[in-house]
Amino acid sequence: MTTAGRAGRGATASLMLGALGVVFGDIGTSPLYALQTVFALDDGIVQPTTANVFGVVSLVFWSITLIVSAKYLGFILRADNDGEGGVMALAHLAARRVRVGSRAHALILILGVFGGSLFFGDSLITPAISVLAAVEGLDIAVPGTERLVVPIAATVIALLFAVQRFGTHRVGPLFGPVMVLWFLTLGVLGLVHVVADPAVLTALSPHHAVTFFVRNPGVAFVAMGASVLAITGAEALYADLGHFGRVPIMWAWFALAFPCLTLNYLGQAQLIIRDTHEIASPFFHLAPDWAQLPLVVLATMATIIASQAVISGAFSVARQAERLGFLPRLTVRQTSDQEGGQIYIPSVNWLLFAGVLGLLLIFRSSERLATAYGVAVTTDLMLTSTLFCVYAVTALRWRWPQVALFVAAFSVLEVAYFSANIAKVLHGGWLPLAVALGVATLMSTWSRGRELVTARREKLEGPLEDFLEEIHDDSKILRVPGTAIFLHPSKATTPLALRENVQFNHVVHDDVFIVSTQSLNVPHVPDDERVIVDDLGDPYDHITHITLRYGFSDHQDVPAGLAVARDEGLGIDLDKATYFLSRIALRPSDRPGMGPVRKRVFVALARNAADPTEYFRLPVAQTVITGARVNF
């Protein structure tokens, strides 16, 4: 084997380990509470008879097989936006070949925004329910410790969010070995019980799920509403695509995660059939008494990792939303030099922490939290399928029979899951929907407010072409030594800082560069496509417009982009340049376009946006900020 081949295999193995440590944490800890919740519903409406247990396990197994193994790994993960995943990336892939401004284009973006917002709702529940379910095992291993569950869970969650700043490239390798041990433990615990009663293997046959529904459709429908807990984490798997890549995720799933999950669910089924008294917590009763306390510790570590999956995904979704114009500038810290998708966003991290801690203190048990879970998960599944169908038709050129086959294979099951969870809306299911609606409202408010403010600001700035003619004809304006770089959205209008410098100081620098950053609907833009230079029709007046193009996963590092332009032959002295920023003070008015409450929300979002000096990575000692007021 060549050195390159060994290096490639080593990199894949490392990413597989990292994927196990981040991507599969959520779905990997579902055995803690999935079957337990099914048989606890409505005071035990699903009786633990052999037929019912086999029907539930068959339903769980085939749901995982169809939704995770077939749909997500077979289809959805192929719809990557230059390596980036998540429902918003999928929405923009689907919208690429749809006419901008059309109703279809707007609808696709709305679905993407709402899907991304639902992910934030899930990101609040997953850490709370996972950690609670693990720590609740303490009362089984050490009876009488029930009162310690919530304080211990709160401490674990606080530590989890505190280490996020170190990045998934650091915690992933640490979490990876733990998750390998966790999945092997799941498999071994299940295998012991399967060996004790091999007949339980027949539960994998799909006819048990079908018979379950035919024999008692009402009870089966209720069971279906809770069995969706076994596939939570599928959307996090897609959102984390940019962190590790499709191939390592697939290898990790089929080589370890999927078979171990299957064995564990079979083991729980055998245990429930053998002794219905174990139904209150079948997972922890899989282990002998001496192993229960170590299992609680391992389960707690695994649920920390489950939380990591959705937190990492939330960072990715938030940055995509910001770059696509649905959120204000966010402070984004790159945590890895090798993987562009590995980031940390402090504001998102601490908002999630506050929300998760609030849920933990309000619900105080995994069983109560489980009722809040299914609606958002199933809605997310349906949105992803809908957007993929649009992408398949417009980009992959699927024919309608192919789309119909996809819908029949996956969407029908997802609609059934959604219908089974509708009843949960009044019993906690409203919570993630309310969070999603709130986030979607913030996104739409920012997008609309930005349009209004841009229109007002452009009127104040005036056309750049007219301004250049004015300074050419005005003999009182002096040229002063130096290089001035004005950051400005476009070359259509005049930077306010440049206009005010001329108006009040009557001077223009010898070399003026107007720099615009452009976010493209791709994750990354290579350096050789980064820079577009325009001399604005007169190369001799030394006023030049530069467009720096970035993908939605690139850092908008302006000095680095200008260095690329310099290396390509542009005469610009970056060491002695002065950067000028125009900071806009917003004032809501009675102008039409948006209601007064949404205007105040927009102003609050704008005030909490990232510092543009830090966002664009400008040298502080070389940056001048001027102010202007805009009524909108």
Side-chain angles (χ1 to χ4, degrees), residues 460-479:
L460 292 175
E461 293 165 345
L464 178 59
E465 185 177 345
D466 293 348
F467 175 79
L468 294 178
E469 290 181 4
E470 291 174 12
I471 63 174
H472 288 160
D473 297 337
D474 193 339
S475 58
K476 296 181 180 179
I477 297 175
L478 302 176
R479 287 278 186 171

Side-chain angles (χ1 to χ4, degrees), residues 4 21 57 97 141 160 278 322 329 452 500 503 605:
V57 171
R97 290 171 174 82
L160 169 66
E278 312 289 8
E322 179 250 321
R329 286 190 301 266
L452 296 176
E500 290 176 355
Q503 182 178 349
L605 289 172

Side-chain angles (χ1 to χ4, degrees), residues 179-193:
M179 284 307 291
V180 170
L181 178 60
W182 170 252
F183 279 113
L184 289 176
T185 301
L186 290 181
V188 170
L189 288 175
L191 183 61
V192 169
H193 290 267

Side-chain angles (χ1 to χ4, degrees), residues 33 37 125 129 225-226 228-229 363 365-375 421 424 427:
Y33 48 81
T37 302
I125 297 179
I129 190 174
V228 73
L229 295 172
F363 284 85
S365 78
S366 60
E367 183 178 334
R368 293 177 63 192
L369 264 171
T371 62
Y373 215 171
V375 179
N421 278 277
K424 292 184 179 181
H427 302 282

Side-chain angles (χ1 to χ4, degrees), residues 124 346-356:
L124 294 180
S347 57
V348 174
N349 186 66
W350 296 115
L351 284 173
L352 285 178
F353 170 64
V356 170

Side-chain angles (χ1 to χ4, degrees), residues 275-288:
D275 186 353
T276 57
H277 292 95
E278 312 289 8
I279 199 171
S281 185
F283 175 80
F284 286 104
H285 284 113
L286 286 175

